[in-house]
Amino acid sequence: MADAPDGQMANLHLDEPTGEMVSKSELKKRQKQRANEEKKKDKAAAAPPKAEKQKSAEEEESNLTPNQYYEIRCGKIQKLRQIKKPNPYPHKFQVTTDLRDFLKTYDSIKTGEHRTDVEVRVGGRIYTKRAAGSKLVFYDIRAEGVKVQVMCQAQEAAGPIPFEEQHEHLRRGDIIGIVGYPGRTAPRNRDHGELSIFAKEIILLTPCLHQIPSEHYGFKDQEQRYRQRYLDLIMNDNSRNVFITRSKMITYIRRYFDEKDFVEVETPMMNAIAGGATAKPFITHHNDLNMDLFMRVAPELYLKMLIVGGLERVYELGRQFRNEGIDLTHNPEFTTCEFYMAYADVYDIMDITEDLVSGLVKHVTGGYETKFHTQIGEEYHVNWQKPWKRIEMIPALEEACGEKFPPGEELHTKETNEFLKRILKKMNVDCTPPQTNARMLDKLVGEIIEEKCINPTFITGHPQMMSPLAKYHRDHPGLCERFEAFVCKKEIVNAYTELNDPFDQRLRFEEQARQKDQGDDEAQMVDENFCTSLEFGLPPTGGWGMGIDRLVMFLTDHYSIKEVLAFPFMKDDQNQWKDKKTAAEVVGIRPMVEEGIREYPRITNPPVTIPDEYYSA
C-alpha cells in the first residue's frame, strides 16, 4: 500500500489502546466513550448487591420430602397449640351458608359486582393457595363436593388476628372458616370474572399435618386409595360420587318397601349355627359363654321365623360375612337386602324385582339404560326397563349341550353325577372338588347360561338339591320355584317361593348334611330351632335377597367391588406404618399419667396374626 501524503499524516493522532492512527475528532470520540464505560463500571461496583427474589414459605416447603414437611408442620402447629395465636383447633365455627347453595344463589352476580351487605360464613378445605404480594391471597376451597374461590385483601381484613397472621400458617389441606360477602372478580385479562367469597376473616379450624397430593398429579395409586379412603375422598370427586349414589340407592330401597307396608327389622349377626345360605362362615368366640359362634352368612332363617310370628312383610338391610375368596366381585363382608312377604310366591317376587330395580335405576341415573365396562375393556349397554327376559335352566342346558338331561326327580342320584361329569368333559368346563351334583350343575350354568346374561335376566327352574330352602315346583317334580337375576353375567338377586313344609325341610337339611360329609364346606347345617318354627306354621311366603354392592358397581360403572365399599378388606401391610412417628412423638409430647393406670412403653403397631384360611387365592 502506498504511503499517505505528509499533510494527511500530520493530521492523524495515535490511539494508544488500539495502536491506530486516527483523526483528532475520532480520537476524542473514542476517549469519551471509554470514559463513559469506566464511569458505568465504577457505578456498578459501588452499587449494593441486587437482592434475590425471596421464595414464599409454600414454595420452599414444596421441595421437602413428605417426612420433612410432616415434622416441620407438626412443630409449627405445636407452637400454635401453646401460644393460641391463633388456636389451631377451635371448638366451634358457626357455618350459615351451604357452599352448594352459595353457588346457585349468587351465580347471577355480574362481573365486578359485590354484595357487601350479605354476610356468608362457610367452612371448607384448602386445595390451592396463591399469593399476589403480601396484601392479596387467593384460596380455592372445597366443601360438599363443590369448589369456590376465596379472595382475601388486606384492606378488607377484620377480626382480632392481623391479616398476615391469618394467612401465614395456612397450607393446602387445612380446614378453614371464612367470613365474608359474595361477589364476582373483575380480571383485567378476561371479560368474565369468577364468583368468589371476598373474605373479611379467615379462621384456621383444623390444620392438615401432611402434604396432600397436588391437583395436577392427583391421588391415583389404587391400593393406597383403598387403604387411605379419607385421602381418596379428599382428592377424587369420583369416589365421593360413588358413595353418594350408594346412599341414594339404599334410601330408595327403604322407601320402596316402607311404602308397601313392610317392616324393617334387625336380626342377630352372631349365631350358633351358620344357616340361611350355602356359604362358608367366619368363626368367632364368646369368652363368657366359652362357645364358638358363626358370623351370619344370611339373615333368612330369622326373617322367616318373624313371618311365622305374624310380621307378614319384613325386610332387612345389613352386613353378611362369608369366609370365601376375595376377588373383583367378592369381599368377605358385604351388604344385602332381604325381604319376605306372606301370601306371595316366586312369580309375585319376579314382578316386584322388576318394578323395584328398574325404578331404582331410573331414580339414580335418570333413565333405564346404563353402560358398564369390564376389567378387560368390554363395554356392555344395559337396558333395565321391565319386563326382563326369563330363561328356564334345564331346557337351556339341554339346548346348549345337545343332550337330554335326567328328569328332575333323578338329578340328585349317583347316575346323574356320572352324567354331569361326562357333560363337563364334553363342554370343556372345569369343576374343582368336591364334584357334587349341585356344584357341577352350578358350573355348567355359570359357563353356558350366565355368560349370555347382559341385560337383566331371570334364570328359573333350579333343581331342589341346589336350593335347600326353596319350595318344590308345583308343575315339575325335582325342581323348585326359584329364580336368580343376572346382569352383565353376574348375579344380583336370588329369590324363591319359601319352603314351609317342616317334613320336607328336614329332608333337605339332611341332604345338605350329606353334601357336607362329601367335603362341601359351604353346605348348610341343620337348624333345629328353625325346623321347630315351621311346625307352628309358616304361611305361603315369597323370599328375596339382593346384593347391594354389586348393584352399585353396575350403576357407577366399576368392575371392582373395592371401589364401592368405603373400607374394603385389605391384606395387612406390616410395612405401611413401620417407623412412622405420631404427631405427638414428633414434638415430644408424652401422655399424661392417669391415677391408678400404670405407664407402659408404647408399642408401635404390634403385628396382628390372621389365620391363612381367612385369605383365598
Side-chain angles (χ1 to χ4, degrees):
M1 180 178 173
D3 292 336
D6 293 340
Q8 288 183 9
M9 288 294 295
N11 292 328
L12 297 180
H13 302 272
L14 177 64
D15 182 15
E16 293 182 357
T18 63
E20 296 177 339
M21 300 298 291
V22 296
S23 66
K24 187 175 182 179
S25 61
E26 177 63 21
L27 181 61
K28 285 183 177 180
K29 182 180 176 182
R30 292 186 179 187
Q31 289 172 338
K32 187 176 181 181
Q33 185 177 355
R34 292 186 186 112
N36 288 336
E37 288 175 356
E38 286 297 322
K39 285 180 182 179
K40 285 182 180 179
K41 287 180 182 178
D42 293 341
K43 188 175 180 182
K50 233 179 188 181
E52 289 186 15
K53 185 181 178 183
Q54 285 190 333
K55 290 183 178 180
S56 67
E58 290 84 355
E59 289 174 321
E60 291 183 351
E61 290 168 355
S62 66
N63 297 320
L64 299 175
T65 66
N67 282 340
Q68 289 172 335
Y69 180 93
Y70 174 65
E71 293 188 4
I72 291 171
R73 182 73 165 146
C74 285
K76 289 181 177 178
I77 298 305
Q78 169 61 5
K79 186 176 180 181
L80 290 182
R81 291 178 71 243
Q82 293 169 339
I83 64 175
K84 306 291 185 184
K85 291 184 179 180
N87 177 6
Y89 297 99
H91 290 73
K92 171 72 174 174
F93 175 78
Q94 187 66 44
V95 173
T96 60
T97 308
D98 186 304
L99 213 52
R100 295 166 296 185
D101 295 336
F102 174 87
L103 293 176
K104 292 176 184 176
T105 303
Y106 301 108
D107 184 57
S108 59
I109 288 181
K110 297 177 181 177
T111 297
E113 182 183 353
H114 296 166
R115 301 275 181 87
T116 55
D117 58 323
V118 178
E119 181 182 86
V120 296
R121 299 175 65 93
V122 301
R125 189 183 293 273
I126 299 173
Y127 278 73
T128 60
K129 178 182 180 182
R130 308 180 301 279
S134 60
K135 305 296 184 184
L136 180 60
V137 183
F138 291 91
Y139 297 99
D140 286 336
I141 68 160
R142 288 180 183 267
E144 300 293 347
V146 297
K147 182 184 80 168
V148 73
Q149 176 177 271
V150 179
M151 183 174 179
C152 310
Q153 303 172 87
Q155 67 266 29
E156 296 273 4
I161 309 291
F163 180 83
E164 291 79 5
E165 293 180 23
Q166 285 185 28
H167 300 277
E168 66 177 334
H169 301 294
L170 301 184
R171 297 291 183 271
R172 295 180 63 244
D174 289 355
I175 298 171
I176 59 174
I178 302 110
V179 182
Y181 57 85
R184 193 176 289 276
T185 58
R188 296 176 182 175
N189 56 350
R190 297 196 313 271
D191 293 334
H192 194 64
E194 184 171 352
L195 178 61
S196 306
I197 299 174
F198 288 78
K200 294 182 178 179
E201 185 178 7
I202 300 286
I203 302 165
L204 175 61
L205 301 180
T206 309
C208 177
L209 302 181
H210 293 271
Q211 280 180 326
I212 64 172
S214 68
E215 287 198 304
H216 177 72
Y217 292 105
F219 186 48
K220 298 175 183 177
D221 184 287
Q222 197 171 64
E223 180 166 339
Q224 289 306 311
R225 285 179 48 241
Y226 301 150
R227 291 186 183 277
Q228 295 180 281
R229 184 65 86 185
Y230 45 88
L231 186 54
D232 179 35
L233 291 170
I234 288 172
M235 298 303 303
N236 298 311
D237 282 342
N238 285 341
S239 296
R240 173 191 173 84
N241 292 336
V242 166
F243 298 114
I244 290 175
T245 299
R246 182 188 179 102
S247 176
K248 288 179 180 177
M249 292 171 63
I250 292 173
T251 300
Y252 180 92
I253 292 169
R254 275 202 168 96
R255 186 169 63 246
Y256 181 90
F257 287 119
D258 290 344
E259 289 174 353
K260 290 188 177 297
D261 231 10
F262 281 76
V263 177
E264 183 175 9
V265 297
E266 295 173 304
T267 60
M269 287 196 175
M270 294 185 295
N271 309 286
I273 292 175
T278 303
K280 186 177 180 180
F282 282 99
I283 302 173
T284 187
H285 185 78
H286 192 294
N287 291 334
D288 194 41
L289 298 178
N290 191 28
M291 64 181 291
D292 285 341
L293 295 170
F294 299 99
M295 301 299 292
R296 76 175 179 193
V297 295
E300 177 170 343
L301 303 186
Y302 285 109
L303 294 174
K304 285 195 279 195
M305 285 192 275
L306 293 175
I307 298 283
V308 171
L311 294 176
E312 294 177 352
R313 296 185 179 200
V314 295
Y315 76 96
E316 180 171 12
L317 273 156
R319 288 293 224 191
Q320 318 307 329
F321 308 87
R322 298 185 182 179
N323 195 355
E324 300 172 347
I326 301 173
D327 58 28
L328 289 174
T329 59
H330 294 88
N331 194 67
E333 56 175 313
F334 56 98
T335 303
T336 66
C337 177
E338 292 200 16
F339 80 81
Y340 293 83
M341 184 177 180
Y343 312 111
D345 65 9
V346 71
Y347 304 105
D348 299 317
I349 304 302
M350 278 190 190
D351 294 339
I352 290 175
T353 303
E354 289 176 330
D355 186 51
L356 167 63
V357 177
S358 62
L360 170 63
V361 173
K362 179 74 181 295
H363 173 73
V364 170
T365 68
Y368 293 107
E369 296 186 5
T370 62
K371 291 181 182 179
F372 179 73
H373 296 83
T374 67
Q375 185 184 20
I376 59 174
E378 296 174 295
E379 182 178 89
Y380 296 147
H381 293 260
V382 185
N383 186 343
W384 300 81
Q385 195 163 14
K386 59 181 181 180
W388 296 356
K389 185 177 180 180
R390 304 184 181 193
I391 297 176
E392 289 192 37
M393 179 186 291
I394 300 300
L397 289 177
E398 290 176 337
E399 182 180 349
C401 299
E403 294 202 31
K404 183 71 175 176
F405 274 55
E409 59 266 34
E410 296 178 13
L411 288 174
H412 66 287
T413 63
K414 288 184 179 180
E415 291 76 17
T416 299
N417 187 276
E418 296 301 321
F419 170 81
L420 291 173
K421 286 179 180 177
R422 182 170 61 80
I423 293 294
L424 285 173
K425 189 174 180 180
K426 176 182 177 180
M427 302 303 294
N428 198 26
V429 174
D430 291 326
C431 178
T432 57
Q435 290 187 330
T436 62
N437 296 13
R439 282 173 56 83
M440 288 190 284
L441 266 173
D442 190 53
K443 275 292 181 183
L444 286 170
V445 172
E447 294 291 333
I448 296 172
I449 303 177
E450 294 172 13
E451 283 295 307
K452 299 177 181 178
C453 300
I454 305 301
N455 285 331
T457 305
F458 293 123
I459 298 178
T460 65
H462 295 64
Q464 284 181 243
M465 63 182 179
M466 296 176 69
S467 314
L469 298 170
K471 196 162 188 173
Y472 62 86
H473 202 288
R474 65 194 77 177
D475 299 321
H476 303 291
L479 304 184
C480 62
E481 295 194 350
R482 175 187 176 190
F483 74 80
E484 292 177 293
F486 284 82
V487 178
C488 298
K489 307 180 184 181
K490 300 295 181 183
E491 177 197 341
I492 60 168
V493 171
N494 184 28
Y496 33 79
T497 303
E498 299 296 335
L499 178 60
N500 61 344
D501 180 345
F503 303 95
D504 195 359
Q505 182 65 79
R506 168 66 65 178
L507 296 175
R508 302 279 190 92
F509 275 150
E510 288 176 358
E511 168 63 19
Q512 286 282 297
R514 187 180 70 80
Q515 292 184 19
K516 188 173 279 292
D517 289 341
Q518 291 180 349
D520 189 350
D521 291 335
E522 296 182 352
Q524 298 186 43
M525 296 180 279
V526 179
D527 189 324
E528 294 291 352
N529 191 34
F530 174 68
C531 290
T532 302
S533 74
L534 293 186
E535 294 169 3
F536 283 85
L538 173 68
T541 298
W544 176 95
M546 180 172 72
I548 300 297
D549 309 308
R550 199 168 287 180
L551 190 58
V552 177
M553 290 168 60
F554 292 135
L555 296 191
T556 59
D557 194 8
H558 286 295
Y559 60 78
S560 172
I561 194 172
K562 286 183 168 68
E563 293 287 355
V564 303
L565 299 175
F567 299 99
F569 186 83
M570 305 291 290
K571 194 168 184 177
D572 190 30
D573 182 0
Q574 296 287 349
N575 296 319
Q576 184 179 11
W577 309 114
K578 188 179 179 181
D579 300 327
K580 182 188 179 301
K581 293 182 179 180
T582 66
E585 288 173 325
V586 168
V587 298
I589 296 177
R590 291 185 57 79
M592 295 176 63
V593 179
E594 295 280 344
E595 184 180 355
I597 299 178
R598 293 176 61 190
E599 185 176 358
Y600 291 96
R602 178 178 180 269
I603 300 174
T604 305
N605 295 306
V608 178
T609 303
I610 299 178
D612 291 339
E613 61 263 28
Y614 277 55
Y615 299 106
S616 152

